[in-house]
Amino acid sequence: MSTINDLWNSLCKLAHPSLQEDYDNSGLIIGDRQETVTGVLVSFDVNEAVVDEAIAKHCNVIIAHHPVLFRPLKQITSDTPNGRLLLKAIRHNIALVAMHTNLDNHLQGVNYELGRRIGLSNLSILSQIEGKLRKLATFVPQSHADEVRSALFEAGAGNIGQYDSCSFNTSGTGTFKAGLQANPFVGERDKIHFEPEVRIEVVYPQWIEKQIVEVMKKVHPYEEVAYDIYQLQNEIPVFGAGMIGNFDTPMTENSFLSHLKAVLGIPVLKHTSLSGKMISRVAICGGSGSFLIRKASASGADAFVTADVKYHDFFDTPSRLLVVDAGHYETEQFTVQLLAYYLTEKFPNFAVLISEVNTNPVYYT
Ligand SMILES: [Zn+2]
């Protein structure tokens, strides 16, 4: 049996909520963490029809890409569609979870799935996230340096891009005088001691800080562990907005646009003027990605596939870049499969179903 808390902890491992944008509301929005999960319905958005589907299929959790609550509410009443669905979800004990921009900003999230379906290879983050990296420096007696370093790596520290077990180590001398009530690992009470130590430095994303510090204190031999924590401004290569990748075989602009229509199941595309060049390097951002147009151009993309592009964004696009508005729903639709696949692997003890409700509010005629 798994609780909603178990499910939520597993989703945090997939894409931690700390990765979400400031305006977002990803997370467990409604729910009792202690309840046992009877089944999960994965949906793109949540509307009343999706809640009805969850009730009919005995799923007490709905996981959606878009958060059902985005702005603060002053009333939850049956007067509005959102109020009705929230009341219905609460009455039927259905938890609502959103995996939104935290999944957008993940190396294996929304854009990875979009890029993979389009057929791009060597995908990397287009605009890397900044300011979420921390550094720990701890001072360890030489005899215990290997043990402490290994424990830090095991707890998730020391990952930089495609490298793990990254650390910097400097030897030096630590001094301390133990108080009369202390129980020193080395040295004597009330007498200054000089100990050969190693300063071990490792980086980690800020959301695993608690576990990193706990593990360090557990394996460090000193009664009072000396350590420093630094906030870094560095980018993290594996997290951020949009992605960029390449086609193994370049294609003409027209075949690229036809290919997009077929893969995304969209009948029409909005795009900037065609220039006759071949499309080889493609930037992508599922959903509203206009803010990345300049970054896509600067990264050498021939085309940028996104959605919700305004008239003036088309107008201001650098001429060498083909910008394609391929629909918000269409560019993010594969997120549902990504979530369902992940949870099916992790939780064989309950059903993970994909919603049959098409929540796309946009029609093409
Ligand atoms: Zn979206």
Side-chain angles (χ1 to χ4, degrees):
M1 293 217 298
S2 303
T3 62
I4 287 175
N5 201 46
D6 297 332
L7 176 71
W8 175 239
N9 286 337
S10 180
L11 287 168
C12 288
K13 285 187 185 139
L14 171 66
H16 199 276
S18 300
L19 283 169
Q20 69 184 294
E21 301 293 339
D22 295 341
Y23 60 80
D24 195 13
N25 190 31
S26 294
L28 177 61
I29 292 174
I30 293 179
D32 177 346
R33 292 177 186 274
Q34 309 316 321
E35 290 268 333
T36 300
V37 178
T38 59
V40 170
L41 186 65
V42 185
S43 176
F44 189 63
D45 305 280
V46 187
N47 58 21
E48 207 173 346
V50 175
V51 177
D52 287 336
E53 185 184 12
I55 296 166
K57 293 178 175 171
H58 307 291
C59 295
N60 66 345
V61 183
I62 298 171
I63 301 176
H65 180 50
H66 290 144
V68 67
L69 288 180
F70 213 58
R71 295 173 196 89
L73 288 180
K74 291 201 171 174
Q75 294 91 23
I76 300 177
T77 69
S78 57
D79 298 337
T80 63
N82 232 23
R84 283 194 292 278
L85 90 82
L86 291 169
L87 286 172
K88 192 175 264 187
I90 292 168
R91 279 195 197 111
H92 287 85
N93 241 355
I94 291 175
L96 301 179
V97 178
M99 293 289 282
H100 190 211
T101 54
N102 55 329
L103 201 52
D104 288 337
N105 285 336
H106 195 279
L107 183 67
Q108 247 121 34
V110 175
N111 292 311
Y112 177 79
E113 200 57 27
L114 173 63
R116 196 175 70 81
R117 305 280 182 140
I118 293 175
L120 297 173
S121 53
N122 297 321
L123 282 161
S124 60
I125 298 288
L126 183 61
S127 179
Q128 298 174 2
I129 216 164
E130 291 175 5
K132 292 195 187 279
L133 200 61
R134 299 253 171 109
K135 175 180 272 194
L136 170 80
T138 183
F139 305 84
V140 191
Q142 279 182 355
S143 56
H144 285 67
D146 288 348
E147 194 185 342
V148 171
R149 194 186 305 104
S150 303
L152 289 170
F153 292 157
E154 205 139 300
N159 294 320
I160 302 177
Q162 299 303 316
Y163 294 80
D164 61 26
S165 308
C166 304
S167 72
F168 193 77
N169 301 266
T170 32
S171 297
T173 304
T175 70
F176 45 85
K177 183 166 79 174
L180 295 175
Q181 305 301 319
N183 188 19
F185 170 71
V186 284
E188 293 173 36
R189 293 188 185 99
D190 203 25
K191 195 172 168 191
I192 192 153
H193 177 81
F194 291 75
E195 178 68 21
E197 291 178 347
V198 179
R199 173 190 165 107
I200 303 174
E201 298 173 45
V202 285
V203 295
Y204 56 89
Q206 65 181 41
W207 54 91
I208 62 167
E209 184 159 287
K210 195 164 172 270
Q211 73 200 55
I212 296 289
V213 172
E214 265 174 23
V215 162
M216 175 195 66
K217 286 186 172 172
K218 208 167 152 199
V219 295
H220 199 295
Y222 285 173
E223 193 172 27
E224 298 293 347
V225 176
Y227 66 99
D228 306 328
I229 286 176
Y230 303 90
Q231 173 89 45
L232 304 180
Q233 281 311 309
N234 303 41
E235 296 167 333
I236 309 184
V238 293
F239 302 120
M243 294 194 93
I244 187 160
N246 298 299
F247 283 125
D248 294 337
T249 313
M251 51 179 101
T252 63
E253 289 165 317
N254 278 321
S255 18
F256 172 63
L257 294 173
S258 306
H259 173 66
L260 280 182
K261 282 200 234 176
V263 173
L264 303 179
I266 186 167
V268 287
L269 297 170
K270 289 200 286 186
H271 57 84
T272 51
S273 65
L274 304 183
S275 65
K277 69 170 175 184
M278 299 297 281
I279 304 294
S280 164
R281 190 157 171 77
V282 179
I284 51 173
C285 181
S288 312
S290 300
F291 67 101
L292 288 172
I293 288 176
R294 302 239 153 232
K295 185 88 187 175
S297 177
S299 304
D302 303 311
F304 178 43
V305 181
T306 187
D308 303 342
V309 182
K310 291 181 183 161
Y311 178 82
H312 285 285
D313 294 326
F314 281 110
F315 212 84
D316 295 338
T317 292
S319 57
R320 63 168 304 279
L321 183 70
L322 173 64
V323 172
V324 185
D325 184 332
H328 194 123
Y329 176 90
E330 287 80 1
T331 53
E332 293 193 319
Q333 60 184 305
F334 307 117
T335 310
V336 174
Q337 279 92 346
L338 183 155
L339 284 164
Y341 180 74
Y342 174 80
L343 290 173
T344 306
E345 291 266 291
K346 299 281 173 202
F347 294 98
N349 52 343
F350 54 75
V352 178
L353 308 174
I354 291 178
S355 172
E356 293 172 63
V357 178
N358 180 357
T359 60
N360 187 2
V362 180
Y363 289 82
Y364 304 93
T365 305

